Amino acid sequence: MAGPLLEYETEMFLSLFSTDGLLVSAEGLGIDRVLLQFMKVYSEEGSLVLLLNTTTPEQDYFTEQLRTEGVSHLPQTVNSDVQSSERYHVYTQGGVLYVTSRILVVDFLTDKIPAHLISGILVYRAHKIIDSCQEAFILRLYRQKNKTGFIKAFTDKVTAFSTGFCKVERVMRNLFVKKLFLWPRFQASVNTVLDRHKPDVVELHVPLTSAMRAIQSSILDIMNACLKELRRYNPTLEAEDLSLENTLGNGFEKTIRHYLDPLWHQLGAKTKSLVQDLKILRTLLLYLTQYDCVTFLNLLESLRSSQKNFGSNSGWLFLDSSTSMFVNARSRVYRIHEGKKKHKVGEADQNPCASAPLKRECVLEKNPKWEALTEVLQEIEKENSSSEHEPGHVLICASDDRTCSQLKEYIQRGADSLLNRLYSRTFGKDEPAAAHDKSKPVNSWSKKGIGKSFSGKKSKAKNTKSSTKKQRHSLTLTQMVGQEKEIETAQMGSSGDEEGHEVEEEEKEQEEEIFSSDSYYGIVKEPLTVIHPLKGCCDPYSLTRVLQEVEPMFVVLYDAELSFVRQLEVYKASRPGKLLRVYFLIYGGSTEEQRYLTALCKEKQAFEHLIREKATMVVPEEREGREDTNLDLVRNSEPAYATSNTRKAGGQEVVEEPSRVIVDMREFRSELPSLLHRRGLDIEPVTLEVGDYILTSNICVERKSVSDLIGSLQSGRLYTQCLSMSRFYRQPVLLVEFDPAKPFSLVARSDMRQEMSANDITSKLTLLTLHFPRLRLLWCPSPHATAELFQELKRGRPEPDTAAAQAVTAESDMVEESADLYNPGPYDFLIRMPGVNVKNFRGLVKHAANLTELLTLSQEKLSEILGSTSNAKKLYEFLHNTMNGASVQKNKHTSK
């Protein structure tokens, strides 16, 4: 747990330990440390505590930390690997359990979990507990069966509560808690503790080059123009959310989807193009400050050279700002001596062959942050050499793997080598070997081992990690980058494009699968220098592990990230007396700086909003559900408009059988079972071979989301499922359920076709209904509408039999309507006879029990059955006439 809790963390723990509640803290303030303290307290046989909403890497980290703390009764995982018969034994052993949501719902419904023995439930990522999610269903079932256990919830995503109407109050209602605990960074006790042990922070505001400033200005101008166009075409959109400042933030795409997804099928091509262009422009802004000049120009050129992007853009490529951006981006990479052709940007783009003979002189502008990083590492090296103590370890944190790869190569080989390699892989492919190949493999400041060759990476970092490397799929920087790996910079957002295939001999022994995003790796041995990405790791605690294992004295923040800055503050406060210097590199006056400041501002505003909302929040006394007065625990047995039967002989009470629905086990990944249960329907989870929901003895429902429907139609699986339902149930139903946040439309109006097509979804659905006449299609805009529809379909109909539904297999007896229809051999033979089609074959089946009886029918009788003299003649001649070679040739000639 990296030491005891800090004073404010202890206060957080005690406030939540004494009562149920929702704990909301700022990012990076150590909410996981508080959760670990709770897990440590309840990791004993005398208590049974369930931990919800965690991922497998988080569970591994929590268990590892508890093992380090010396906890003997470690948490256990209950997933699909644990047999149903063994789960009760695991529950009765006590302690903290990680249980998957689907299994927990099923076990609560079937009483396989001793609900009365549960001490309480810990909920992680509480901001995700919405009405219809599985965890909310679990909490409702738990509170219905256990009135004494606790519920404690944790989250550090305060900005998630700033959207929607009374979001925090709705989450607390679903959690069945009354108390809200807010712990922002500006809280008094947090400020006191963290300010007492401040790390030594050195802020370096790196200036942008003139070309970078011009490019950034051009991109912002283009984005502003796109936003104006978007507002003009969609006046209903909130103007505040479409400001240029919000466009720079990480949540902009989510905001746009929130507004436009429900109307996407109604939007014009211009609006869709503008949304796509804003996404591309945001990527360009990121690449400008994040990567080198060659990578940025390669992405920019790919936008113009790609016919798809060029043809679908909303017009920004033809603006003056766009021309300026291209000119400045090229000026950072190369210079063309021919003055006339230098300014004809459009001509060079339209005729790339003509630009080939032009002589380019490489400029290859270096990233300004690289030079600042050089100065920082030289300062650290100087301080370590003059220090009497052991040299301090260095941790360099960059945004993603690609940046880490470039920094590693820069540190070991220098900027010239890196930029020339990238240039030769992209723009220098068609050029002869020129001056840009003459690169110096050693950088200018490799005096005391900073620029060592790959042999220097046999570092303490590798030795430290050798015990846990196979468990966590780590890898070294050599494995990630390699010496001569080609970079494909045209792939936007690719984080693995610089992974190397050449590894050192001692590393070739590792045969396990490698995930580059989970790496931390040493650059040099003395002092130990480690680079690690801030984002993109499968293990969310990989950076925390690095801090604990490497214990750096110097941290270089190459990219700004709010939660890690706070994590460094907590790290320093938990190690008082030890030096920690943080070098904070950020481009002054850039969109990178604006993004960081906007994130800080939005978090502060979100906390201020919650503080005001908490002050005016009205919480009912029965919110926790410990009494029977909480209406959220009451299940609606009947809708409000249901009519009651007044004809009760002698006023006697009629005991009605509870209404129930048989649900397939795999369907508990969806939210529909939760909504059905809330409506008063009893849920019986079983494993079904045919259908997903059995509403009555005759109604079987196969539920499909839109994506699942398209995939099933493409693969043919839906045909098999409909065939099975039609064979064994009188009323087979195909339910197509839409996402409430998406348009209630299968295909856009512009995609509707007049004629049938083999690849068209609507055509395939039409053929499906023609092939299965008894199949009914239901269209529901949301799971809530589906639950209401199911309740209506069950009204006045007999309840389904669980044993009978579970016993339906491929060998079961078919229903009467399907017995004659789906005898595969004779049916397929009959439908292929001349004169027989899907419209008239049923008459033949009714008048002839088998093919032998069909031969006894006269032509007049066949004409009466088929309703067509010509069809009857074709069938009669096919059955009774002798076919020889001459007649076959004659028929072929006639058909021509």
Side-chain angles (χ1 to χ4, degrees):
M1 209 177 294
L5 294 180
L6 300 174
E7 294 172 20
Y8 75 88
E9 290 176 331
T10 305
E11 195 176 337
M12 292 165 76
F13 172 79
L14 292 176
S15 62
L16 195 59
F17 184 78
S18 58
T19 181
D20 292 3
L22 168 62
L23 176 64
V24 182
S25 81
E27 278 192 85
L29 284 190
I31 197 169
D32 51 334
R33 288 158 55 92
V34 178
L35 176 60
L36 272 168
Q37 190 65 31
F38 274 101
M39 294 176 67
K40 183 179 177 182
V41 169
Y42 293 117
S43 291
E44 56 183 12
E45 295 184 3
S47 60
L48 172 59
V49 175
L50 307 176
L51 179 57
L52 303 182
N53 231 6
T54 54
T55 61
T56 302
E58 289 168 345
Q59 294 169 8
D60 294 340
Y61 173 77
F62 292 152
T63 305
E64 182 182 323
Q65 293 298 312
L66 290 174
R67 185 182 290 112
T68 306
E69 289 285 313
V71 175
S72 57
H73 197 81
L74 292 174
Q76 297 186 63
T77 304
V78 179
N79 52 26
S80 56
D81 297 335
V82 181
Q83 296 295 326
S84 175
S85 56
E86 301 173 1
R87 292 206 291 263
Y88 184 84
H89 175 67
V90 175
Y91 292 140
T92 52
Q93 285 182 340
V96 178
L97 296 180
Y98 311 120
V99 191
T100 59
S101 299
R102 186 179 66 88
I103 288 178
L104 204 50
V105 167
V106 171
D107 286 354
F108 266 118
L109 290 172
T110 56
D111 291 327
K112 287 183 180 177
I113 183 170
H116 63 285
L117 296 180
I118 299 176
S119 305
I121 294 182
L122 302 174
V123 185
Y124 201 44
R125 289 198 196 85
H127 61 280
K128 292 189 175 182
I129 308 300
I130 57 175
D131 291 339
S132 55
C133 74
Q134 290 282 33
E135 287 72 26
F137 189 20
I138 290 168
L139 292 169
R140 194 166 75 246
L141 290 171
Y142 164 69
R143 194 48 92 200
Q144 285 172 350
K145 300 185 178 190
N146 186 322
K147 303 292 185 182
T148 58
F150 63 79
I151 297 175
K152 304 182 190 301
F154 309 81
T155 184
D156 58 358
K157 304 294 183 197
V158 65
T159 51
F161 296 108
S162 59
T163 58
F165 178 72
C166 296
K167 177 74 177 287
V168 68
E169 193 170 351
R170 287 188 285 122
V171 169
M172 290 172 65
R173 181 176 175 178
N174 294 327
L175 289 168
F176 298 98
V177 297
K178 292 194 295 185
K179 298 286 186 180
L180 175 63
F181 302 98
L182 301 176
W183 289 85
R185 172 63 179 84
F186 55 81
Q187 211 263 3
S189 53
V190 178
N191 254 339
T192 304
V193 174
L194 296 184
D195 290 350
R196 191 188 308 150
H197 305 286
K198 279 185 177 180
D200 183 14
V201 180
V202 179
E203 288 191 19
L204 298 174
H205 290 267
V206 183
L208 293 169
T209 64
S210 57
M212 290 176 73
R213 273 198 306 273
I215 293 171
Q216 177 179 278
S217 178
S218 298
I219 297 176
L220 292 177
D221 287 344
I222 298 170
M223 290 180 74
N224 205 15
C226 288
L227 287 172
K228 286 181 180 178
E229 284 289 291
L230 193 60
R231 283 195 292 266
R232 186 166 69 87
Y233 280 96
N234 303 274
T236 57
L237 293 178
E238 290 286 343
E240 183 182 346
D241 291 328
L242 290 182
S243 65
L244 193 58
E245 181 183 354
N246 287 334
T247 311
L248 303 177
N250 296 326
F252 176 72
E253 290 179 15
K254 186 177 180 181
T255 304
I256 283 290
R257 285 201 305 268
H258 172 72
Y259 283 123
L260 298 182
D261 270 355
L263 311 169
W264 193 255
H265 64 303
Q266 300 174 1
L267 297 176
K270 187 73 172 178
T271 300
K272 294 180 180 179
S273 178
L274 286 167
V275 172
Q276 181 63 24
D277 287 344
L278 282 172
K279 183 177 180 182
I280 292 172
L281 291 166
R282 280 164 48 85
T283 305
L284 285 174
L285 268 182
L286 175 67
Y287 270 54
L288 177 65
T289 55
Q290 194 67 46
Y291 304 122
D292 58 277
C293 58
V294 180
T295 303
F296 177 78
L297 179 61
N298 195 31
L299 171 63
L300 197 58
E301 295 284 8
S302 71
L303 295 177
R304 180 169 282 190
S305 61
S306 169
Q307 185 177 0
K308 181 180 178 183
N309 289 330
F310 188 78
S312 64
N313 91 92
S314 60
W316 67 268
L317 280 174
F318 309 109
L319 297 176
D320 293 340
S321 297
S322 175
T323 305
S324 171
M325 174 172 59
F326 274 88
V327 170
N328 283 296
R330 287 168 182 160
S331 70
R332 298 176 67 205
V333 180
Y334 58 80
R335 210 172 24 237
I336 298 177
H337 286 293
E338 285 78 6
K340 291 183 180 180
K341 296 202 174 183
K342 178 179 179 181
H343 299 290
K344 294 184 180 179
V345 181
E347 181 183 337
D349 294 323
Q350 294 168 6
N351 192 3
C353 297
S355 64
L358 297 179
K359 186 177 179 181
R360 292 174 176 172
E361 179 185 349
C362 290
V363 178
L364 299 180
E365 179 182 272
K366 296 175 184 176
N367 196 324
K369 272 193 181 181
W370 292 352
E371 298 173 4
L373 179 63
T374 301
E375 296 173 4
V376 167
L377 291 178
Q378 285 177 341
E379 180 181 324
I380 292 173
E381 184 182 2
K382 184 178 179 181
E383 184 162 334
N384 276 329
S385 61
S386 62
S387 174
E388 299 177 357
H389 305 287
E390 183 181 350
H393 298 165
V394 181
L395 173 63
I396 304 173
C397 292
S399 179
D400 53 21
D401 276 334
R402 191 180 206 166
T403 311
C404 291
S405 303
Q406 291 191 350
L407 290 182
K408 173 260 172 182
E409 190 169 352
Y410 167 71
I411 291 173
Q412 292 192 330
R413 296 185 172 189
D416 293 334
S417 174
L418 169 60
L419 292 173
N420 278 295
R421 183 180 68 81
L422 295 178
Y423 183 84
S424 63
R425 296 297 189 271
T426 52
F427 303 103
K429 282 182 179 180
D430 300 326
E431 295 181 6
H436 65 262
D437 292 324
K438 299 177 182 178
S439 58
K440 296 180 181 180
V442 182
N443 50 23
S444 59
W445 46 278
S446 56
K447 294 180 180 179
K448 294 190 178 182
I450 298 292
K452 287 184 181 180
S453 63
F454 284 94
S455 61
K457 284 194 304 304
K458 192 174 181 182
S459 61
K460 197 175 295 183
K462 183 182 173 186
N463 298 332
T464 308
K465 293 269 291 186
S466 59
S467 60
T468 60
K469 184 164 287 191
K470 289 189 177 181
Q471 297 176 4
R472 297 198 281 115
H473 302 288
S474 307
L475 82 166
T476 63
L477 191 57
T478 313
Q479 291 172 309
M480 178 179 163
V481 183
Q483 296 181 20
E484 298 295 337
K485 173 63 180 169
E486 293 188 4
I487 176 170
E488 299 291 339
T489 50
Q491 297 179 357
M492 293 168 54
S494 170
S495 63
D497 53 354
E498 298 187 27
E499 292 180 8
H501 294 291
E502 298 182 11
V503 293
E504 296 183 359
E505 292 182 2
E506 66 268 17
E507 293 163 345
K508 289 183 180 179
E509 300 174 359
Q510 302 175 2
E511 297 179 355
E512 71 272 11
E513 186 180 4
I514 293 171
F515 297 93
S516 64
S517 295
D518 293 333
S519 60
Y520 98 70
Y521 22 74
I523 297 299
V524 293
K525 190 172 182 179
E526 293 296 339
L528 173 60
T529 304
V530 171
I531 300 181
H532 196 284
L534 290 165
K535 302 174 184 175
C537 301
C538 295
D539 181 5
Y541 291 101
S542 58
L543 206 51
T544 307
R545 296 176 195 269
V546 172
L547 281 177
Q548 293 176 5
E549 295 175 11
V550 178
E551 294 187 350
M553 185 182 295
F554 306 97
V555 177
V556 182
L557 281 176
Y558 187 83
D559 294 306
E561 215 267 323
L562 181 60
S563 63
F564 187 62
V565 172
R566 302 257 176 80
Q567 197 173 341
L568 287 175
E569 288 186 292
V570 175
Y571 171 73
K572 176 65 176 72
S574 60
R575 300 166 71 250
K578 294 188 178 181
L579 175 67
L580 175 65
R581 181 178 300 166
V582 179
Y583 292 92
F584 198 89
L585 305 184
I586 196 163
Y587 284 116
S590 68
T591 54
E592 178 194 27
E593 183 181 34
Q594 185 61 45
R595 272 196 302 269
Y596 181 74
L597 296 176
T598 302
L600 272 173
C601 181
K602 283 191 176 295
E603 187 190 71
K604 183 182 177 184
Q605 289 174 353
F607 267 114
E608 290 173 348
H609 169 72
L610 284 187
I611 291 169
R612 290 192 300 268
E613 192 169 343
K614 180 181 178 181
T616 58
M617 189 185 299
V618 178
V619 181
E621 192 63 33
E622 65 274 5
R623 167 62 58 79
E624 293 186 354
R626 298 184 185 274
E627 307 293 336
D628 294 331
T629 52
N630 190 328
L631 297 179
D632 290 329
L633 297 177
V634 177
R635 297 168 59 199
N636 300 329
S637 57
E638 281 189 348
Y641 56 80
T643 57
S644 58
N645 182 11
T646 58
R647 301 191 61 178
K648 299 177 181 178
Q652 62 196 26
E653 290 291 332
V654 180
V655 180
E656 294 185 0
E657 184 182 2
S659 188
R660 65 177 181 272
V661 177
I662 301 171
V663 183
D664 184 39
M665 289 281 197
R666 288 155 294 207
E667 277 298 301
F668 282 94
R669 295 185 181 93
S670 71
E671 53 190 291
L672 184 54
S674 168
L675 299 174
L676 291 173
H677 185 268
R678 171 162 275 187
R679 282 187 163 269
L681 298 173
D682 285 347
I683 305 297
E684 295 197 20
V686 296
T687 302
L688 297 176
E689 284 195 23
V690 179
D692 293 328
Y693 296 86
I694 310 299
L695 303 185
T696 69
S697 56
N698 294 328
I699 301 179
C700 173
V701 180
E702 180 72 29
R703 188 189 69 88
K704 296 286 182 188
S705 63
V706 176
S707 58
D708 193 16
L709 173 71
I710 294 171
S712 300
L713 283 171
Q714 300 283 12
S715 65
R717 185 163 55 94
L718 185 56
Y719 174 86
T720 308
Q721 292 170 332
C722 292
L723 181 65
S724 300
M725 288 196 298
S726 299
R727 285 185 175 183
F728 304 118
Y729 291 94
R730 299 181 191 276
Q731 294 175 290
V733 176
L734 173 62
L735 169 71
V736 183
E737 190 176 84
F738 288 77
D739 185 344
K742 299 289 177 66
F744 186 39
S745 172
L746 187 61
V747 292
R749 294 176 185 174
S750 58
D751 296 334
M752 295 292 288
R753 300 181 182 181
Q754 296 294 331
E755 66 279 347
M756 300 284 282
S757 170
N759 297 322
D760 188 34
I761 298 300
T762 52
S763 300
K764 290 184 177 183
L765 276 177
T766 306
L767 291 173
L768 192 72
T769 52
L770 285 174
H771 201 85
F772 301 103
R774 288 191 289 111
L775 180 68
R776 295 291 176 263
L777 264 63
L778 298 180
W779 307 85
C780 290
S782 68
H784 292 270
T786 305
E788 184 178 352
L789 188 60
F790 277 12
Q791 199 169 24
E792 288 297 317
L793 288 174
K794 286 186 62 64
R795 190 180 303 280
R797 290 184 172 90
E799 297 300 326
D801 184 1
T802 306
Q806 205 168 0
V808 172
T809 60
E811 290 76 27
S812 304
D813 294 333
M814 289 179 283
V815 296
E816 185 179 344
E817 287 83 347
S818 302
D820 55 354
L821 185 59
Y822 293 103
N823 193 357
Y827 166 72
D828 291 341
F829 185 64
L830 178 65
I831 204 72
R832 285 170 173 77
M833 289 184 181
V836 182
N837 53 47
V838 292
K839 295 181 179 179
N840 58 24
F841 78 94
R842 296 184 185 279
L844 290 174
V845 173
K846 289 181 180 178
H847 288 84
N850 49 47
L851 291 174
T852 306
E853 288 189 18
L854 184 62
L855 292 171
T856 63
L857 300 177
S858 63
Q859 187 172 337
E860 291 77 14
K861 184 67 174 175
L862 288 173
S863 178
E864 179 186 339
I865 295 172
L866 298 176
S868 170
T869 307
S870 59
N871 286 339
K873 184 179 179 182
K874 288 179 185 178
L875 179 58
Y876 188 83
E877 289 179 352
F878 173 75
L879 292 173
H880 297 282
N881 289 4
T882 303
M883 299 293 289
N884 52 37
S887 61
V888 170
Q889 293 296 330
K890 182 180 178 181
N891 289 340
K892 284 185 177 181
H893 181 72
T894 305
S895 63
K896 290 179 181 178

